């Protein structure tokens, strides 16, 4: 009888430990996702300058690299269903006045561009968050489009 009680006690303690560990892991992931979302959505209802957009793009690139998001031969990050982040800059095309969305990789990682050139090119412009998407699986921000505010 004593052996059965000890075995049942060990099983119960093991199950409780496993459940607690899983809950702790889930809670930690949720807090990380909330922190990332808060950082990227902080400027949601305001007009911002290009240096803030560049900072967010650098942060997204850093997180994508940290999360081992694959890049294609043009250095564009390939979206996944969990933790990839894409930021686009929407502006009028110089050729036909049409709105175009430029991916962050084209602006920040292209050898002909870079943060300094982007800041210089859009130094007098203001931007606002036009669109946002979340990953269905995790709830983390997936895509943000910053649109140039035309006066």
């Amino acid at each position: 009888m004593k052996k059965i009680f000890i075995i049942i006690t060990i099983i119960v303690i093991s199950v409780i430990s496993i459940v607690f560990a899983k809950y702790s892991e889930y809670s930690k992931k949720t807090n990380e996702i909330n922190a990332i979302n808060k950082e990227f959505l902080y400027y949601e209802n305001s007009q911002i300058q290009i240096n803030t957009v560049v900072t967010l793009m650098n942060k997204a690139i850093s997180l994508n690299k940290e999360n081992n998001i694959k890049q294609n031969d043009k250095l564009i990050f390939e979206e996944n269903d969990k933790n990839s982040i894409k930021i686009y800059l929407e502006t009028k095309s110089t050729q036909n006045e049409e709105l175009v969305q430029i991916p962050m990789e084209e602006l920040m990682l292209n050898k002909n561009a870079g943060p300094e050139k982007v800041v210089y090119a859009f130094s007098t412009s203001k931007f606002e968050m036009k669109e946002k998407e979340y990953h269905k699986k995790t709830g983390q921000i997936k895509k943000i489009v910053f649109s140039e505010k035309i006066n």
Side-chain angles (χ1 to χ4, degrees):
M1 188 70 165
K2 206 174 190 183
K3 285 183 180 181
I4 293 174
F5 178 73
I6 292 173
I7 291 173
I8 291 174
T9 304
I10 291 172
I11 291 172
V12 168
I13 290 172
S14 298
V15 168
I16 290 172
S17 297
I18 291 169
V19 168
F20 180 73
K22 290 290 183 186
Y23 176 75
S24 294
E25 183 180 323
Y26 169 78
S27 180
K28 181 181 174 191
K29 289 244 185 244
T30 302
N31 288 338
E32 286 174 8
I33 289 170
N34 289 338
I36 289 169
N37 287 350
K38 183 178 180 183
E39 183 174 0
F40 281 96
L41 300 176
Y42 182 79
Y43 303 99
E44 186 172 11
N45 295 317
S46 57
Q47 291 184 14
I48 58 175
Q49 293 181 324
I50 190 63
N51 57 345
T52 305
V53 176
V54 166
T55 300
L56 292 173
M57 287 180 176
N58 280 329
K59 180 69 176 173
I61 290 168
S62 175
L63 284 171
N64 283 340
K65 287 181 178 180
E66 210 174 280
N67 292 325
N68 297 318
I69 307 298
K70 294 178 183 171
Q71 289 178 280
N72 65 20
D73 56 344
K74 294 180 182 178
L75 299 177
I76 305 292
F77 288 102
E78 297 176 4
E79 290 185 25
N80 66 13
D81 62 347
K82 196 167 83 175
N83 58 4
S84 60
I85 301 174
K86 302 282 280 178
I87 297 179
Y88 296 88
L89 200 62
E90 185 176 77
T91 186
K92 280 193 177 184
S93 170
T94 54
Q95 293 138 356
N96 56 8
E97 294 292 314
E98 206 172 277
L99 285 177
V100 292
Q101 285 187 2
I102 309 166
M104 65 183 180
E105 299 90 344
E106 226 175 90
L107 294 167
M108 305 299 287
L109 302 177
N110 188 322
K111 63 182 175 187
N112 297 326
E116 298 85 16
K117 290 182 180 179
V118 173
V119 170
Y120 179 76
F122 295 101
S123 61
T124 59
S125 301
K126 297 277 187 184
F127 295 88
E128 59 188 2
M129 192 178 297
K130 177 182 175 182
E131 183 183 333
K132 63 183 178 185
E133 284 182 37
Y134 297 91
H135 287 285
K136 291 178 184 163
K137 193 174 191 178
T138 61
Q140 180 179 310
I141 195 73
K142 171 184 177 180
K143 174 184 174 183
I144 300 174
V145 176
F146 287 102
S147 183
E148 187 175 12
K149 187 80 172 155
I150 309 297
N151 292 334

